[in-house]
Amino acid sequence: MTFVRHMFTVLLPAALVLVIASPAWPTAQVPERIVYEGTEGFLFTDPLESYFTRDNPRPKFASPHTACWRGYIASWEIREDTLYLTDIKAWMRDKEGKAAPVEFEQIFPGKAKPLKADWFTGTLRIPRGEPIKYVHMGYQTIYEYDVFLRIEAGKVVDRKTIDNRNKVRTTPPAQSILDP
């Protein structure tokens, strides 16, 4: 009986420590928005981040909730093969330390909407269709299709559409204890 009691006094606290100390699951992030080929949808890329440099420092955005760690949600449009920032919903800390909304002009003094994104060179990922595999982290949810736009200095230079429908299993296969 004392062995069982000893096991509970040692193992139960150890198990609680492991449960409490386990890593938190990251939260899926609110995606940016984009209008492409006349259709509004999600943008699984953050092109605004490359706008901020040592000479143009990133404002001290504040996260309004765990699904928006970057502190803003930008809206974009591809028009005549050019990427434009059309709007932004952003937050910064107010005097009480709470996340408060800020205006476009506070982030881009002296600039008007839409703002040509000539600072951005990279690839935009635009998911299309229905989600076929939800991943509760970042922008990792997989949709039926992905449209990839390669952008150089704000101009679309290449486009590619990937069909993901036959690439993703919705349920993982059962593992055998015989599998290596």
Side-chain angles (χ1 to χ4, degrees):
M1 188 73 137
T2 58
F3 176 74
V4 172
R5 187 174 307 199
H6 178 70
M7 293 302 285
F8 274 114
T9 59
V10 172
L11 291 179
L12 186 59
L16 287 173
V17 166
L18 287 174
V19 168
I20 292 170
S22 66
W25 295 102
T27 302
Q29 294 297 291
V30 175
E32 310 248 314
R33 307 292 294 179
I34 190 165
V35 175
Y36 174 64
E37 295 182 336
T39 302
E40 183 179 6
F42 297 139
L43 176 61
F44 280 6
T45 313
D46 300 327
L48 186 56
E49 288 303 314
S50 61
Y51 177 81
F52 305 119
T53 63
R54 183 176 15 187
D55 296 330
N56 184 28
R58 187 181 197 276
K60 293 183 179 181
F61 293 116
S63 173
H65 46 74
T66 60
C68 189
W69 286 116
R70 66 188 175 280
Y72 65 84
I73 303 166
S75 296
W76 304 87
E77 183 176 3
I78 299 288
R79 190 177 334 136
E80 297 175 4
D81 284 335
T82 302
L83 177 64
Y84 290 92
L85 174 66
T86 58
D87 204 0
I88 186 167
K89 185 175 183 180
W91 298 265
M92 292 185 195
R93 299 267 173 233
D94 62 14
K95 292 176 185 172
E96 289 82 40
K98 296 178 183 171
V102 294
E103 298 297 320
F104 185 91
E105 178 66 27
Q106 290 175 265
I107 302 164
F108 306 100
K111 301 196 179 190
K113 299 185 269 186
L115 181 59
K116 184 179 176 184
D118 55 6
W119 69 84
F120 183 73
T121 294
T123 302
L124 301 179
R125 176 183 169 212
I126 304 169
R128 291 282 171 101
E130 296 296 318
I132 56 176
K133 183 176 182 187
Y134 176 75
V135 180
H136 193 69
M137 185 168 86
Y139 297 140
Q140 295 184 20
T141 295
I142 300 171
Y143 283 74
E144 292 176 309
Y145 302 92
D146 278 314
V147 176
F148 292 98
L149 302 179
R150 193 162 52 91
I151 309 290
E152 288 182 14
K155 293 295 236 177
V156 177
V157 295
D158 193 22
R159 36 188 118 233
K160 184 176 187 178
T161 300
I162 305 293
D163 184 343
N164 297 315
R165 294 175 297 171
N166 294 322
K167 297 179 184 176
V168 177
R169 286 190 171 142
T170 55
T171 56
Q175 279 201 313
S176 167
I177 59 171
L178 301 176
D179 289 340

